[in-house]
């Protein structure tokens, strides 16, 4: 298929020589157990190996003649005597090992749970897809974070907030009577990268999702996701007790309200015994919350956490709050939540966006990371590209997330990745044939899952894996596609918001440039609020002389970012208001450097177009053509960003264009 429906699970036939060698290792398989997850594992193995190698392993009923032995020690006690490092695999991980057993060389895929085994099968298939040898297979893996969730911003009318890939997958109208087979493919894709939960509905939540008819529909979806190791979660509206419960208040300290949430949780768990819990956006952008009743975020989160606790459920309480009264939007979440450290129940996760503003092409990491030692903190990233050119612009976000996860927090050795205990990604998935609105956006779904499983993976390795699985193992293709992906995100930063500028997108939809916009009802929505350009300089002063948001960072980080000499160029205008004529490290003035970066962003896209064109004939025509067309759109729009931004800033600073800048075409 060349419409992209198969994602990275294409299982294209391998070249004949490779086929033959894999075939010898995978003629037969013994599966211990028959749970839904084991059936899924068996079918996936047969589907994948059958397609790639030309013959699926024959399922055999006895160990004695199996090339591949698959199971848990509980189902297959013989595994216990092999000395496999299953302790290191944890509840969800796996061991892959080639081993001599009773005089024969076999491949063992083992886990402590059937879901772990299923993940092991996907890991094995990935190795075959990317042409790696299996002869000396010896792998043990366990996920770094226990919660690795997609957050769908899907409304019940099937529109998707910030969704650029069609309608919501969830066909509420036909559920539960009709359960679309596509839900299974969705679950397979998630399972293949280790995503283990999905919040089905928008954080701007309708209370209706918690009514009995909707819960029946949710239960039908949960039934499809379960064998694949994906638990179901819901976004809940804080005032649901009023909207659908007939109560007069949603005050978290009111006993009736507490009872309502408890009985709601009980009824959900009767339908969905492995229900994951609730995601809640409260007192944020007009959503109701505990502060409407004079209570704190901790009061609200804990009340709902108490309702879920008897069932083992989790509350993900979002920290995305800000108000126009604040001196600086970037300070808001820290100012609000830092004093609440230690006040949350143990089944609450404070879900914090990767940066302090809002999913921009580049932000410094959020100051709450590393500074809530007595609270479980999760990181929320956006897989859908609200501020990065929607589905047409190519921007590989693995690079962005790697940058955040790797950021040093307080001490030189502490990294953001070590300060969090969960990763959530706002999904980019919809009903488009290719799921994500473009072929390259599939890579962002893939990379999210891989990094949530193992945040120490390099984005370059992830890009390489994904490219081989998606575009094939042709070396020229990989060597062209991977560098394109790796520079793509910086290209977007350069043509949209270089040097630490942020939030300059046209308003509402956030597509295209709008740095001049200054008339919105909330001051903290205006691009001019963020860039603060004047005749003399540009940038948001967040040092002690300004909003002092930099003081929210610890130790060396604070020290460096406060200083004009130390702050990296990429965060310069995020923290400092800088004269246009100031010389930067490049030797150029700020103005000349900024113009050069806009130019560089456009050139990078032009080069991506050229590189992609060199693959004509090496990729199926259908996908080749679409990517070609999207890159053309991206180049036009990169120029639009550059020309509009330069013209606008020039109208403020009155400076001539620096020499060497290509005039608008
Ligand atoms: C952004 C986005 C909204 C979304 C919000 C959130 O502001 O534009 O659509 O609701 O983030 O994360 O809650």
């Amino acid at each position: 298929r060349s419409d992209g429906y198969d994602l990275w699970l294409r299982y294209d036939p391998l070249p004949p020589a490779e086929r033959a060698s894999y075939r010898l290792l995978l003629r037969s398989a013994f599966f211990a157990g028959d749970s839904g997850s084991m059936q899924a594992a068996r079918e996936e193995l047969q589907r994948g190996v059958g397609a790639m190698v030309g013959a699926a392993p024959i399922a055999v009923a006895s160990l004695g003649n199996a090339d591949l032995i698959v199971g848990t020690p509980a189902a297959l006690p013989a595994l216990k005597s092999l000395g496999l490092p299953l302790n290191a695999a944890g509840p969800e991980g796996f061991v892959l090992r080639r081993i001599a057993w009773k005089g024969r060389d076999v491949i063992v895929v083992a886990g402590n749970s059937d879901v772990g085994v299923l993940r092991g099968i996907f890991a094995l298939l990935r190795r075959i897809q990317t042409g790696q040898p299996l002869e000396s297979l010896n792998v043990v893996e366990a996920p770094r974070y226990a919660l690795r969730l997609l957050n769908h911003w899907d409304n019940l009318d099937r529109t998707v907030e910030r969704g650029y890939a069609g309608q919501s997958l969830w066909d509420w109208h036909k559920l539960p009577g009709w359960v679309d087979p596509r839900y299974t493919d969705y679950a397979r894709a998630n399972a293949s990268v280790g995503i283990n939960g999905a919040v089905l509905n928008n954080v701007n939540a309708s209370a209706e999702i918690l009514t009995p008819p909707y819960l029946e529909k949710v239960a039908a979806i949960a039934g499809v996701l379960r064998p694949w190791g994906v638990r179901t979660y819901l976004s809940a509206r804080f005032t649901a007790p009023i909207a659908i419960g007939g109560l007069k208040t949603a005050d978290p300290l009111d006993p009736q309200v507490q009872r309502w949430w408890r009985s709601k949780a009980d009824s959900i768990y009767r339908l969905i015994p492995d229900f994951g819990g609730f995601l809640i956006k409260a007192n944020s952008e007009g959503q109701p919350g505990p502060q409407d009743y004079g209570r704190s975020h901790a009061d609200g989160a804990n009340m709902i956490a108490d309702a879920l606790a008897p069932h083992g459920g989790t509350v993900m309480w979002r920290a995305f709050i800000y108000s126009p009264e604040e001196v600086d939007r970037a300070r808001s979440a820290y100012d609000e939540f830092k004093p609440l450290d230690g006040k949350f129940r143990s089944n609450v996760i404070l879900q914090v966006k990767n940066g302090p503003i809002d999913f921009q092409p580049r932000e410094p990491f959020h100051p709450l990371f590393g500074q809530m030692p007595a609270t479980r903190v999760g990181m929320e990233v956006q897989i859908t590209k609200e501020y990065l050119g929607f589905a047409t612009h190519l921007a590989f976000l693995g690079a962005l997330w790697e940058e955040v996860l790797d950021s040093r927090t307080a001490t030189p050795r502490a990294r953001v990745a070590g300060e969090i205990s969960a990763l959530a990604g706002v999904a980019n998935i919809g009903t488009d044939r290719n799921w994500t609105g473009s072929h390259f956006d599939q890579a962002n779904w893939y990379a999210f899952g891989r990094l949530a499983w193992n945040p120490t993976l390099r984005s370059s390795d992830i890009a390489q894996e994904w490219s081989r699985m998606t575009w094939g193992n042709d070396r020229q293709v990989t060597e062209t596609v991977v560098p394109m992906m790796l520079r793509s995100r910086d290209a977007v930063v350069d043509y949209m918001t270089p040097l630490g500028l942020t939030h300059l997108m046209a308003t509402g939809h956030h597509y295209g440039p709008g740095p001049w916009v200054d008339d919105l009802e909330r001051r903290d929505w205006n691009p001019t609020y963020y860039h603060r350009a004047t005749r003399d300089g540009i940038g948001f002063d967040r040092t002690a002389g300004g909003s002092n948001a930099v003081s929210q960072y610890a130790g060396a980080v604070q020290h460096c970012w406060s200083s004009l000499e130390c702050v990296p160029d990429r965060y310069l205008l995020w923290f400092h208001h800088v004269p246009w004529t100031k010389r930067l490290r490049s030797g150029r003035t700020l103005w000349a450097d900024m113009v050069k970066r806009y130019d560089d962003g456009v050139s990078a896209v032009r080069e991506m177009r050229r590189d992609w064109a060199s693959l004509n004939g090496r990729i199926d025509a259908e996908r080749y053509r679409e990517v070609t067309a999207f890159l053309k759109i991206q180049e036009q729009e990169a120029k639009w960003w550059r020309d509009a931004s330069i013209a606008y800033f020039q109208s403020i600073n009155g400076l001539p264009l620096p020499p060497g800048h290509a005039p608008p075409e």
Side-chain angles (χ1 to χ4, degrees), residues 153 161-162 204 281 285 318 320 353 358 386 510:
W153 283 0
E161 181 151 346
R162 312 305 180 183
N204 297 317
K281 172 174 178 176
E285 297 186 331
R318 296 179 85 232
F320 179 65
K353 289 190 181 183
D358 192 11
E386 171 181 354
H510 296 151

Side-chain angles (χ1 to χ4, degrees), residues 367-396:
L368 281 170
F369 296 130
Q371 304 215 52
M372 297 288 279
T375 304
R376 289 170 74 199
V377 172
M379 181 159 99
E380 178 181 308
V381 300
Q382 203 178 41
I383 309 172
T384 190
K385 304 206 312 301
E386 171 181 354
Y387 295 97
L388 289 97
F390 296 5
T392 42
H393 293 210
L394 197 169
F396 176 54

Side-chain angles (χ1 to χ4, degrees), residues 183-510:
Y183 306 155
T184 306
D185 287 331
Y186 162 84
R188 283 178 59 225
N190 282 333
S192 75
V193 290
I195 289 167
N196 71 352
V199 182
L200 302 184
N201 61 317
N202 193 355
V203 286
N204 297 317
S206 154
E208 234 185 314
I209 193 84
L210 299 181
T211 58
Y214 270 95
L215 291 174
E216 296 278 351
K217 299 169 194 280
V218 172
I221 298 174
V224 177
L225 307 190
R226 186 171 299 118
W228 300 92
V230 181
R231 286 170 84 175
T232 301
Y233 296 69
L234 294 174
S235 291
R237 189 172 175 81
F238 196 75
T239 45
I242 303 174
I244 59 168
L247 301 189
K248 296 246 161 349
T249 175
D251 181 350
L253 301 194
D254 183 302
Q256 268 191 306
V257 172
Q258 296 168 354
R259 249 196 320 277
W260 187 86
W261 282 104
R262 271 203 307 273
S263 97
K264 184 50 71 185
D266 295 346
S267 65
I268 294 176
Y269 279 91
R270 273 195 295 278
L271 285 170
I272 310 167
D274 60 343
F275 180 66
F278 294 127
L279 171 63
I280 297 176
K281 172 174 178 176
N283 294 122
S284 160
E285 297 186 331
Q287 295 299 316
Q291 293 180 330
D292 303 339
Y293 305 92
R295 315 297 184 194
S296 73
H297 280 278
D299 294 329
N302 291 342
M303 181 265 299
I304 298 181
D306 288 342
L308 292 169
H311 308 284
T314 304
V315 172
M316 273 120 359
W317 192 267
R318 296 179 85 232
F320 179 65
I321 53 109
Y322 61 100
S323 93
E325 284 80 52
E326 305 260 356
V327 286
D328 176 0
R329 172 171 170 182
R331 290 190 59 126
S332 323
Y334 180 100
D335 287 344
E336 181 79 43
F337 286 96
K338 172 77 181 160
L340 297 178
D341 188 27
K343 303 238 157 65
F344 293 97
R345 299 280 192 269
S346 61
N347 61 331
V348 174
I349 290 184
L350 188 64
Q351 184 162 308
V352 180
K353 289 190 181 183
N354 61 270
I357 299 285
D358 192 11
F359 300 139
Q360 295 300 302
R362 171 168 277 135
E363 294 185 43
F365 69 87
H366 199 294
L368 281 170
F369 296 130
Q371 304 215 52
M372 297 288 279
T375 304
R376 289 170 74 199
V377 172
M379 181 159 99
E380 178 181 308
V381 300
Q382 203 178 41
I383 309 172
T384 190
K385 304 206 312 301
E386 171 181 354
Y387 295 97
L388 289 97
F390 296 5
T392 42
H393 293 210
L394 197 169
F396 176 54
L397 301 179
L400 191 168
W401 305 326
E402 175 182 50
E403 178 178 293
V404 179
L405 289 162
D406 270 359
S407 294
R408 294 196 159 93
T409 53
T411 63
R413 292 181 54 191
R415 295 282 199 279
V416 168
E419 304 290 353
I420 58 176
S421 57
L423 210 58
V426 180
N428 61 350
I429 302 161
T431 51
D432 278 8
R433 275 308 282 171
N434 66 22
W435 300 85
T436 55
S438 82
H439 297 292
F440 272 97
D441 279 310
Q442 298 178 351
N444 292 328
W445 180 4
Y446 182 86
F448 169 77
R450 298 288 286 139
L451 281 171
W453 181 269
N454 180 0
T456 68
L457 290 176
R458 298 294 84 196
S459 63
S460 50
D461 293 332
I462 297 173
Q464 156 110 234
E465 265 173 28
W466 175 83
S467 173
R468 296 174 77 131
M469 294 164 83
T470 304
W471 302 111
N473 285 310
D474 175 343
R475 229 175 102 183
Q476 191 185 325
V477 173
T478 313
E479 285 176 3
T480 305
V481 165
V482 173
M484 281 173 66
M485 291 170 75
L486 294 179
R487 67 189 303 199
S488 61
R489 181 273 189 141
D490 274 329
V492 173
V493 172
D494 280 346
Y495 63 73
M496 289 188 184
T497 49
L499 291 168
L501 288 174
T502 205
H503 214 298
L504 306 185
M505 295 74 193
T507 301
H509 47 69
H510 296 151

Side-chain angles (χ1 to χ4, degrees), residues 65 73 77 140 142 148 156 188 220 347 365 388 530 601 644 665:
N65 42 22
V140 51
R148 308 175 300 280
L156 302 187
R188 283 178 59 225
N347 61 331
F365 69 87
L388 289 97
Y530 297 95
E665 286 148 41

Side-chain angles (χ1 to χ4, degrees), residues 522-541:
R522 273 180 67 159
R523 60 190 270 277
D524 51 352
W525 286 344
N526 283 312
T528 51
Y529 169 96
Y530 297 95
H531 65 66
R532 311 210 158 186
T534 62
R535 192 158 182 90
D536 303 322
I538 179 169
F540 197 131
D541 184 357

